[in-house]
Amino acid sequence: MDERDDQAVLRFIERFSSVFVEAGVPRMPARVFVALLATDSGSLTAAELADLLRVSPAAISGAVRYLTQVRLVSRERETGTRRDVYRVFDDVWYEALFRRDEMFRRWEVPLKEGVEVLGPDSSAGRRITEMRAFFQFIQGELPTLLEHWRAYRDETFGP
């Protein structure tokens, strides 16, 4: 296999991570996430990430904390060592959407309470009602959408 051009890989990481930054992801977590996506193994240690991105280990620590909290990356213990490895899953987008479904369920009760507190006929109450209806709609459609994705993925890339 040909060696990759390290500078070209870094440029890709910077360009693609800037798209995530524009979407609201903090800069360093975006860079770490893309760096993990760009590795064949999908996993790196904090030291490897710091070396690749040319940043301090402290910057990596904060970034992976954010990424693990939003569940885009998992932290695993490297077998036989005390080192943590940070991993992005091959099906990261499927998993992220699946977890969003869980989030929508957790929002159901507070949104219902908000409508009751604000009054269903007030402007704020109507806004919260519409938000709640949107999440209910998405939650109802998500299983079918994910089922279609799995079929498409299997057809395109194999099971």
Side-chain angles (χ1 to χ4, degrees):
M1 183 168 125
D2 293 328
E3 289 293 315
R4 290 188 177 135
D5 178 343
D6 290 342
Q7 290 303 314
V9 171
L10 258 178
R11 284 191 302 273
F12 164 74
I13 290 169
E14 295 304 326
R15 279 195 303 273
F16 193 32
S17 65
S18 70
V19 173
F20 286 99
V21 170
E22 290 172 9
V25 176
R27 183 172 186 270
M28 189 53 61
R31 292 180 72 214
V32 167
F33 181 68
V34 174
L36 288 169
L37 285 174
T39 64
D40 287 330
S41 67
S43 65
L44 293 169
T45 66
E48 290 167 334
L49 283 163
D51 185 52
L52 173 64
L53 298 175
R54 301 176 182 154
V55 297
S56 72
I60 297 300
S61 176
V64 296
R65 186 177 321 110
Y66 173 89
L67 291 168
T68 56
Q69 286 174 345
V70 297
R71 297 182 181 175
L72 287 176
V73 167
S74 71
R75 178 190 320 237
E76 301 169 7
R77 184 59 50 132
E78 195 172 65
T79 307
T81 73
R82 293 175 34 174
R83 295 187 326 171
D84 286 331
V85 174
Y86 302 99
R87 177 177 312 282
V88 64
F89 296 104
D90 290 339
D91 56 356
V92 66
W93 299 117
Y94 167 84
E95 290 298 324
L97 273 175
F98 182 76
R99 283 187 292 278
R100 292 292 182 250
D101 187 48
E102 294 171 10
M103 179 185 65
F104 295 153
R105 277 194 290 277
R106 286 194 307 264
W107 288 359
E108 177 65 23
V109 171
L111 288 171
K112 183 179 180 191
E113 181 183 316
V115 171
E116 291 169 3
V117 168
L118 298 168
D121 296 325
S122 71
S123 293
R126 284 191 297 277
R127 192 168 33 254
I128 300 297
T129 298
E130 185 175 333
M131 181 182 189
R132 183 174 172 222
F134 173 77
F135 289 133
Q136 287 171 332
F137 174 81
I138 294 297
Q139 188 177 358
E141 294 294 317
L142 199 52
T144 303
L145 178 64
L146 293 175
E147 188 177 303
H148 289 158
W149 161 246
R150 284 190 294 272
Y152 175 81
R153 181 191 62 201
D154 290 350
E155 181 181 306
T156 305
F157 302 105

